Amino acid sequence: MTRAVRHRAALITFAALSLALSACDSKVGGTPQAADTPPSSAPATSPSGATADNPFGDMKPCTTLDALLRDQGYPAAVPTAADSARTCTAVKKVGDDSIRVSLSLHAGQTINENIADPSKASTGTVNDRPAVQEREPIGAKGQCDVKMEVKPKSRAIVAVTLGVGTTDQACTDVNDLATKFEPMLPK
């Protein structure tokens, strides 16, 4: 099977899976569209300290990730070494597997920036918020992220990396988390 045929088959499989699990829209180069999903918490307005340059204000990625993962068996989130001011991660062991969930809050960067492979990205919405889903954003199997727009010109990124699982499973998991996380974002 040629690379183009394998790629096309993978896209068709992803599109069918996304539609079945997340009610995603058509593939354009970015993210899923969650439909008919009630918000899990009260809608956020603007966090204290929010400015035109930073809509996140005093919203902290570790505290926010801990709230998102509450009662799911994850340890407290910790800042990442590469981007400790904006990104936190929590890792839990599940049998022989591990599940890593990361949250990044990027003021001044849009959802369309830094997409490593546009052919692995699809656009859509999460609870009516523009978003981009990227499969294997750093080229690793078992990884998927969702970038959600936070105006003006900012984004929040939820990422799931499975130690043993598939990319399809990581995308299913990150879509679920993004849908739960979206109401926590500033409007």
Side-chain angles (χ1 to χ4, degrees), residues 168-185:
D168 288 340
Q169 184 60 51
C171 288
T172 298
D173 293 352
V174 81
N175 290 346
D176 292 344
L177 287 170
T179 300
K180 291 174 187 168
F181 172 59
E182 187 280 331
M184 300 167 81
L185 290 170

Side-chain angles (χ1 to χ4, degrees), residues 40-102:
S40 61
S41 64
T45 53
S46 292
S48 78
T51 65
D53 293 334
N54 182 5
F56 300 110
D58 60 2
M59 187 177 196
K60 303 290 184 219
C62 289
T63 305
T64 306
L65 183 57
D66 287 341
L68 177 64
L69 299 175
R70 183 172 293 126
D71 300 324
Q72 295 183 42
Y74 284 87
V78 296
T80 63
D83 192 6
S84 63
R86 304 185 307 171
T87 305
C88 287
T89 193
V91 181
K92 101 174 156 177
K93 295 288 284 173
V94 180
D96 292 336
D97 199 358
S98 63
I99 303 170
R100 175 181 303 272
V101 178
S102 299

Side-chain angles (χ1 to χ4, degrees), residues 109-129:
Q109 290 183 288
T110 69
I111 59 175
N112 296 311
E113 290 181 56
N114 310 110
I115 295 176
D117 184 350
S119 73
K120 292 184 177 185
S122 54
T123 61
T125 61
V126 175
N127 299 337
D128 296 323
R129 185 182 296 267

Side-chain angles (χ1 to χ4, degrees), residues 11-29:
L11 288 177
I12 291 168
T13 300
F14 170 69
L17 180 64
S18 294
L19 286 169
L21 297 174
S22 303
C24 288
D25 69 355
S26 62
K27 195 158 180 48
V28 178

